[in-house]
Amino acid sequence: MPGVIEGAVCAAFCGAGALMAYGVRGRSATLFAPSVYRGPAGRRSIALTFDDGPSESTPELLEVLSTQGVPATFFQCGANVRRLPEVAREVVRRGHEVGNHSDTHPRFYFRKPEFIREELARAQEAITGTTGVSPTLYRAPFGVRWPGMRQAQEQLHLMGVMWTVIGCDWKLDAAAIVRRVLPHARNGAIVCLHDGRELEARPAVEPTIEAVRQLIPMLKGEGYRFETVSQLLCPTN
Ligand SMILES: [Zn+2]
């Protein structure tokens, strides 16, 4: 019966591999760290989220959001906050929520728990020290969760946030970003976009800003309102 046994071993191994891959990258997975990827379905609200900032382009995005009266959530990298502290502060001054997106945006595959903890802790320190606000939300760089992340999040009291739809805005033009996001608009949706590009200085995020300029009135036209992730998850009204 070697064939059967090999088959069974292979199935178990492949099953473990698939589970591992899902645990690491699956948007709804909570195997390695707790996270959410959507808000309540009964609430006609959407949360726009922006990762990898602050960047030199963040102020332009803030203008678009202010003009439309839309609050958002910015998952900032500690290294970018140290590079552009004034921009990081302006995000908070405008009434947006800030979350932790690690310090240097590493890939956490095969990293030790201490490395993960240090990355999250350094970002938390940079954001809190610069903006005066201590994040309660965390988004994993590249959406990668890894053993050790759960403990790091618990120590820093961070809830993980994935997304309902990701705009792939690092590679699409504005029209394509809009086409990608719109069909996923639904009650409680969390939309992932980027106002930076990892730790790059002066990243090209114009397509994102133009897409946001177009998306907001379209979604308002469908009856949605916009909330920060915390407002969406813990409604007070
Ligand atoms: Zn990122």
Side-chain angles (χ1 to χ4, degrees):
M1 300 254 295
V4 174
I5 293 166
E6 277 165 24
V9 169
C10 179
F13 184 76
C14 293
L19 180 64
M20 181 79 182
Y22 169 71
V24 172
R25 297 294 303 272
R27 64 175 186 166
S28 60
T30 57
L31 186 62
F32 297 127
S35 63
V36 296
Y37 67 99
R38 62 181 176 197
R43 200 164 169 83
R44 196 135 185 93
S45 295
I46 286 180
L48 296 179
T49 67
F50 299 96
D51 294 1
D52 296 17
S55 80
E56 290 78 357
S57 297
T58 304
E60 191 186 343
L61 175 62
L62 292 176
E63 276 309 309
V64 173
L65 295 173
S66 288
T67 304
Q68 302 274 356
V70 166
T73 304
F74 289 78
F75 289 96
Q76 299 180 334
C77 291
N80 289 335
V81 169
R82 288 191 294 274
R83 190 167 66 82
L84 297 168
E86 197 44 51
V87 181
R89 276 191 286 271
E90 186 61 19
V91 169
V92 171
R93 265 199 295 267
R94 299 258 186 152
H96 302 291
E97 180 166 28
V98 284
N100 182 324
H101 193 42
S102 84
D103 201 56
T104 64
H105 210 282
R107 292 179 193 275
F108 282 127
Y109 298 109
F110 304 108
R111 295 291 199 162
K112 291 201 172 89
E114 305 83 74
F115 176 88
I116 297 174
R117 207 199 71 78
E118 268 301 295
E119 271 287 331
L120 271 59
R122 271 204 309 273
Q124 196 76 355
E125 202 180 291
I127 295 167
T128 306
T130 303
T131 68
V133 176
S134 193
T136 58
L137 305 175
Y138 163 70
R139 176 167 283 153
F142 307 104
V144 171
R145 274 70 52 78
W146 199 255
M149 199 167 274
R150 176 187 299 275
Q151 292 77 0
Q153 285 181 219
E154 280 171 2
Q155 277 179 18
L156 297 165
H157 310 292
L158 292 168
M159 163 58 78
V161 180
M162 295 289 277
W163 49 79
T164 310
V165 57
I166 189 162
C168 293
D169 51 334
W170 59 91
K171 60 180 180 186
L172 298 178
D173 64 22
I177 298 167
V178 170
R179 278 199 304 274
R180 187 178 158 80
V181 171
L182 267 188
H184 295 277
R186 64 201 58 184
N187 287 7
I190 298 173
V191 180
C192 177
L193 296 165
H194 296 77
D195 64 322
R197 197 74 74 241
E198 301 178 31
L199 303 187
E200 227 176 88
R202 305 188 185 287
V205 295
E206 291 77 14
T208 303
I209 296 172
E210 181 52 31
V212 169
R213 201 177 270 126
Q214 296 176 22
L215 273 169
I216 292 173
M218 288 173 176
L219 292 170
K220 280 182 176 173
E222 292 182 23
Y224 292 106
R225 59 187 194 130
F226 293 88
E227 296 184 297
T228 64
V229 171
S230 284
Q231 289 167 341
L232 184 72
L233 297 179
C234 307
T236 53
N237 56 41

